[in-house]
Structures are given as structure tokens and as C-alpha cells.
Amino acid sequence: MSYVEFDEFKDMANPQLELGMKFSSFKTFKLACRNWGIQNRRQIRFTTNDMKRCICKCQRFKSSNCEFRIFASHVGKDDSTVQIKSINLTHSCTKVNKNYHVTSDWLAEKYIEQFRVDPNWSVSGIIQRVKDDLKFEISRMKAWRAKKKAMEMMNGDEKSQYLKLHSYALELLKTNPGTTVKMTQHLGVFQGIYICLAPLKNAFNSGCRPLISLDGCWLKGQYKGHYFNCR
Ligand SMILES: [Zn+2]
């Protein structure tokens, strides 16, 4: 009998857990359980958690006699794949309004694209969005920390991208002979880059009217600046 393999890139946002499902590691399995708890407004916890097996139960398994339980272990002695060996997803307890697995790190990662689009997203806006999407209440401090972490993640991205500019310029020149790339700097600090790709240059010279119009925009993010392109 073949069992479903959990795809951590596709399935993690809203895990559908089932008997026999396979995971690449205990770490992935636990993350999937946490996300299942968040999506279903349940507080889960791991009562057994070692290198051989992992048992996930409801936080209220004692106080409410809730029988929710997922047991996972390795597929076999020579196979480190983790598999759900028994599962009962039914809760006899009520849903929760807070979940300690909704951390500021988790929020920063979940809403990173929203932070990218709107770096000025307000703390009260974040709180309301979490309430609308997940029905959870989070504190102002948690929302603020999530925003701070998301900004750090994005700024880190931006810095690493600027560091790749020189390699990018060399690659453009190598793969597009005839291309013009000029980079300017002042005291070792990047000031700007001009790129004219060879196919566009050739097409313009061979058939276009001698008219150039420019379009531009402000660059948001950590380093600001302007971006112009020829139309
Ligand atoms: Zn429960």
C-alpha cells in the first residue's frame, strides 16, 4: 500500500494529516502538527519527543480528556523516513483563541510578502489581520516583534542582493556579448548601475525611431534610490 508523502513546500501552510503519511524528518512532522493546530484553532503539544518516536496530543488531554493523538515513528529500522502510525484528529475540547505556536517568527514568515508590499503596516493592522485570518488574538508586543523580524529578514535579503551585483554584471557581459554594463561607486560604496542589453541595443539601432522615453520609480526598502528604464 502506498502512502501520501508530505510536501513541506506545498502542504505546510494548511497540512492535511492522515494515517500513513510520510515526512522527511521529525522536524518537518512537528512543524506540520503545529501548523495543523494553528489552522484548526487547537493547542497541541508533544508529550513524547525523542529520536525514535513522537507523540502529539491536545494541550487539554488531561483537563478535558481530549483524545486527539498523533503517533509517528521511523518507517523501519533502515529507513529514517518518519511516518504517522496512528492518528485521531477528533477533539472533544473547545477551540482556543490563543496559540503559543503563533510566535513572532512564525508571523514574520507567514506575512513576509505583506510586509514587503507595505513596510508601514501598522501594529493594529497586523493584529486585526491575524484575527481575521486565524481567529487568534495576539498582543501588541508580538505584532511589533513580528514586524521587526520581517524587516530584518527583508533587509538581509536586500543586502545580499546588492552584494551579488558585481557577479550579475559579469554574467550579463559573458552571456550577452555587446551588452554595456557600467557600475559607479564612491569610496567603495555602490552608487548606481547602468545596463543596456545587446539585443535591445541592436534592435533599436536597426529599426526604431530615434526617440527614447524614460519611465522610473522610487525604490522602497532599506537603501532607497531611483530606478529608470527606457521604453
Ligand atoms: Zn482537544
Side-chain angles (χ1 to χ4, degrees):
M1 186 172 176
S2 65
Y3 291 107
V4 175
E5 287 186 17
F6 185 81
D7 184 331
E8 59 187 291
F9 297 103
K10 262 170 48 190
D11 303 334
M12 196 56 93
N14 187 16
Q16 303 295 316
L17 305 176
E18 61 181 56
L19 184 67
M21 186 172 258
K22 293 177 177 177
F23 300 82
S24 58
S25 65
F26 278 118
K27 188 180 170 195
T28 306
F29 166 72
K30 282 160 57 187
L31 199 53
C33 288
R34 286 192 196 112
N35 280 356
W36 186 94
I38 292 169
Q39 289 300 329
N40 292 277
R41 289 178 55 205
R42 307 291 182 178
Q43 183 65 65
I44 57 104
R45 56 179 283 214
F46 300 98
T47 54
T48 303
N49 182 19
D50 57 35
M51 301 296 282
K52 291 180 180 171
R53 59 195 167 272
C54 189
I55 298 175
C56 171
K57 287 187 178 179
C58 175
Q59 175 80 355
R60 298 171 172 170
F61 77 99
K62 278 185 181 165
S63 60
S64 301
N65 288 325
C66 185
E67 293 184 352
F68 169 90
R69 184 179 186 274
I70 307 173
F71 171 74
S73 63
H74 290 304
V75 168
K77 275 185 181 173
D78 303 321
D79 190 342
S80 62
T81 306
V82 173
Q83 187 176 31
I84 295 180
K85 300 286 179 65
S86 69
I87 187 166
N88 176 5
L89 294 177
T90 309
H91 283 262
S92 51
C93 62
T94 52
K95 294 194 175 191
V96 294
N97 296 324
K98 288 184 181 174
N99 188 316
Y100 59 69
H101 290 139
V102 180
T103 60
S104 52
D105 281 328
W106 189 88
L107 289 167
E109 210 164 306
K110 178 174 174 63
Y111 292 113
I112 188 75
E113 291 310 319
Q114 179 65 39
F115 283 112
R116 212 185 289 278
V117 172
D118 182 9
N120 297 317
W121 196 14
S122 68
V123 165
S124 52
I126 298 166
I127 293 171
Q128 189 58 48
R129 176 73 180 274
V130 172
K131 201 168 189 177
D132 292 344
D133 289 354
L134 304 167
K135 312 287 182 271
F136 286 129
E137 290 165 10
I138 58 165
S139 65
R140 289 187 67 81
M141 179 58 82
K142 188 176 277 188
W144 180 81
R145 282 200 181 119
K147 182 174 179 174
K148 187 168 176 281
K149 283 174 183 169
M151 291 303 164
E152 284 167 2
M153 284 160 71
M154 286 189 295
N155 292 340
D157 277 3
E158 216 173 315
K159 190 177 176 185
S160 67
Q161 284 174 28
Y162 272 99
L163 288 171
K164 288 177 185 166
L165 262 182
H166 187 67
S167 307
Y168 177 64
L170 292 176
E171 194 62 27
L172 279 179
L173 292 169
K174 193 175 108 186
T175 53
N176 295 274
T179 289
T180 306
V181 180
K182 289 183 180 174
M183 282 178 75
T184 55
Q185 55 172 307
H186 178 64
L187 301 174
V189 178
F190 172 78
Q191 299 290 303
I193 185 169
Y194 166 83
I195 299 169
C196 184
L197 295 169
L200 299 179
K201 195 191 299 184
N202 295 338
F204 181 79
N205 284 334
S206 62
C208 292
R209 285 184 294 168
L211 184 67
I212 294 175
S213 71
L214 286 174
D215 195 3
C217 66
W218 302 97
L219 294 177
K220 293 179 178 174
Q222 191 181 13
Y223 302 108
K224 313 292 182 203
H226 315 283
Y227 169 81
F228 291 105
N229 71 303
C230 180
R231 307 175 71 186

